[in-house]
Amino acid sequence: DIVLTQSPATLSLSPGERATLSCRASQSVDNYLAWYQQKPGQAPRLLIYDASYRATDTPPRFSGSGSGTDFTLTISSLQLEDFAVYYCQRRSHWPPGWTFGQGTKVEIK
Amino acid sequence: QVQLQESGPGLVKPSETLSLDCFVSGASISTYYWAWIRQPPGKGLEWIGYVSFSGSTNYNPSLKSRVTVSLDTSKSQFSLKLNSATTADTAVYYCAGIRDDFAGDHWGRGTLVTVSS
């Protein structure tokens, strides 16, 4: 099975700062990598698909990059509404299992 | 707009089958992967599996022996069955439709299922 490892587990930053989140796959997932944001009590929200494409309504301050095994989600200037937990997910069809990373919590410093 | 709504028992006894349905409105059944994801209290997201319009399925290898995801196009709904439930299966269960081009998705609000005697 392909394992996704996210780092760091927690990121403590101030509004206006830049956030850089990492997701590393145990083997290549090509560019079949998505990023989600989840706030307490809510369903996850898709931010990025196919590693670097913003989903509808995703603000331009969110950007994704990477391919193969190493991926990055960058938030250029944190807004108050961006403090949340972020998950990466692979969507490659083989091997089976669209697994999630364990999440990175972005908290207010 | 697209809406998904989970339904099913909120309490399941250990060793019994956990069964949930997800009713879909406002979406074309044929252009999505219909998926289940769960989240134990205070923990991260866990992928369970999906079924496509063609009937193909994709399951989490760690759950594959106990899981069935099926689609009923006549009722605009899809279902989850998880056999031999244990307390470790206690979680909020989400149903979701993921566009087959991956460019978007829609989620239900989630339903808490507790496995307890």
Side-chain angles (χ1 to χ4, degrees):
Chain A
D1 190 22
I2 297 178
V3 176
L4 299 181
T5 302
Q6 292 186 240
S7 61
T10 304
L11 200 50
S12 299
L13 295 169
S14 301
E17 289 193 294
R18 182 184 187 90
T20 303
L21 288 67
S22 174
C23 177
R24 177 163 290 177
S26 59
Q27 62 189 79
S28 177
V29 298
D30 295 322
N31 68 331
Y32 295 115
L33 197 286
W35 288 95
Y36 284 89
Q37 176 193 69
Q38 188 180 33
K39 297 180 180 179
Q42 296 184 16
R45 169 196 170 195
L46 180 67
L47 296 174
I48 300 287
Y49 67 97
D50 290 355
S52 62
Y53 293 87
R54 278 187 289 273
T56 303
D57 297 333
T58 299
R61 62 181 180 273
F62 291 90
S63 62
S65 63
S67 66
T69 61
D70 288 294
F71 300 88
T72 300
L73 174 70
T74 302
I75 311 170
S76 60
S77 177
L78 280 165
Q79 306 299 301
L80 282 176
E81 62 266 30
D82 301 335
F83 291 93
V85 180
Y86 293 83
Y87 296 93
C88 58
Q89 182 199 27
R90 74 163 182 103
R91 292 175 170 181
S92 45
H93 287 291
W94 189 262
W98 286 359
T99 48
F100 290 93
Q102 81 278 20
T104 291
K105 181 180 182 180
V106 178
E107 65 177 22
I108 300 177
K109 186 174 182 180
Chain B
Q1 73 277 25
V2 179
Q3 291 187 318
L4 286 78
Q5 178 64 56
E6 303 92 351
S7 63
L11 181 64
V12 174
K13 289 183 167 52
S15 80
E16 294 188 345
T17 296
L18 186 158
S19 295
L20 294 172
D21 294 322
C22 182
F23 178 74
V24 180
S25 60
S28 170
I29 291 286
S30 64
T31 57
Y32 286 81
Y33 296 100
W34 301 104
W36 291 95
I37 299 98
R38 70 182 182 181
Q39 186 167 36
K43 296 188 178 181
L45 300 171
E46 182 177 27
W47 173 261
I48 300 173
Y50 75 64
V51 61
S52 71
F53 178 71
S54 66
S56 65
T57 55
N58 178 328
Y59 296 134
N60 183 329
S62 68
L63 298 173
K64 184 178 180 180
S65 63
R66 298 196 291 133
V67 169
T68 303
V69 179
S70 58
L71 180 64
D72 187 336
T73 56
S74 66
K75 295 181 179 179
S76 293
Q77 70 180 38
F78 61 105
S79 302
L80 167 69
K81 291 191 186 302
L82 181 64
N83 300 327
S84 305
T86 72
T87 56
D89 295 316
T90 294
V92 173
Y93 284 75
Y94 294 99
C95 63
I98 300 168
R99 279 177 47 171
D100 59 6
D101 62 0
F102 296 154
D105 59 16
H106 305 278
W107 291 61
R109 299 181 71 170
T111 186
L112 175 63
V113 179
T114 301
V115 180
S116 174
S117 55

